[in-house]
Amino acid sequence: MASDLNSVALVGRLTRDAELSYLPSGMAVAAMSIAVNRGRKENDQWINEVNYFDISYFGKSAESVKPYLTKGKQIAVQGSLRQERWEKDGQKFSKVRVVANTVELLGGRSDGGGADYAGSGAPGGYQQRPGYAASAPRQEAAPAEGDSFGGGSQDFPEDIPF
């Protein structure tokens, strides 16, 4: 018998700061919501459509990443979908939520998140992309004489000649 697949990957911006709470068992839960933009063409016009998704992130990694999950910060989330169902006053309700396995911060300090965390491989799948580490100093050295493309000309040392 074939097994089913429940997997989702999203990239979006946080609509509010993450809220941390604890289950009766003591496990931490970070609750957040992201907005995911999608452009689509309708007739001759491009229409920007926004979808909102509620996300739950569990465990010690939820505690450690919570300070960096601030409104406007772009994140990537991988996880699965979980449908919650309940009944109130005889009426049935349903909501789909993303249960995150990993949360990755995208962008740097200029994204408004202000995170200085530059670790990678932290528990629970939290990662900060090394190329975007806000605290990593950027070092650029001028090319040595004759090292640039085009016979040593220093007119455009950063351009690639193709």
Side-chain angles (χ1 to χ4, degrees):
M1 183 169 150
S3 65
D4 296 331
L5 177 64
N6 181 354
S7 182
V8 63
L10 298 169
V11 173
R13 295 201 178 266
L14 290 164
T15 61
R16 65 181 192 272
D17 292 355
E19 299 169 3
L20 192 64
S21 61
Y22 293 88
L23 299 175
S25 66
M27 181 182 286
V29 181
M32 61 197 101
S33 178
I34 63 171
V36 178
N37 293 311
R38 184 183 136 216
R40 64 181 171 88
K41 192 168 186 178
E42 190 173 291
N43 298 325
D44 291 339
Q45 290 187 353
W46 280 95
I47 297 173
N48 192 27
E49 182 179 280
V50 181
N51 293 292
Y52 299 93
F53 298 96
D54 289 329
I55 299 168
S56 297
Y57 192 36
F58 293 88
K60 289 209 178 275
S61 54
E63 289 177 309
S64 63
V65 75
K66 194 267 182 209
Y68 309 105
L69 297 174
T70 56
K71 182 177 179 176
K73 184 73 176 171
Q74 188 179 39
I75 63 170
V77 175
Q78 292 183 329
S80 59
L81 299 176
R82 183 167 299 154
Q83 185 176 26
E84 300 169 358
R85 297 179 187 143
W86 68 96
E87 190 173 322
K88 182 178 179 181
D89 299 330
Q91 201 170 18
K92 294 182 180 184
F93 295 92
S94 170
K95 181 176 185 171
V96 175
R97 172 181 307 278
V98 176
V99 176
N101 294 329
T102 62
V103 171
E104 184 176 343
L105 296 176
L106 303 176
R109 187 182 304 251
S110 63
D111 263 357
D116 255 350
Y117 186 78
S120 63
Y126 168 73
Q127 298 175 350
Q128 169 78 33
R129 286 187 162 182
Y132 291 94
S135 61
R138 188 171 176 178
Q139 298 177 352
E140 295 181 17
E145 193 66 37
D147 283 351
S148 64
F149 291 96
S153 170
Q154 295 296 324
D155 292 340
F156 303 100
E158 294 179 12
D159 284 353
I160 299 174
F162 57 149

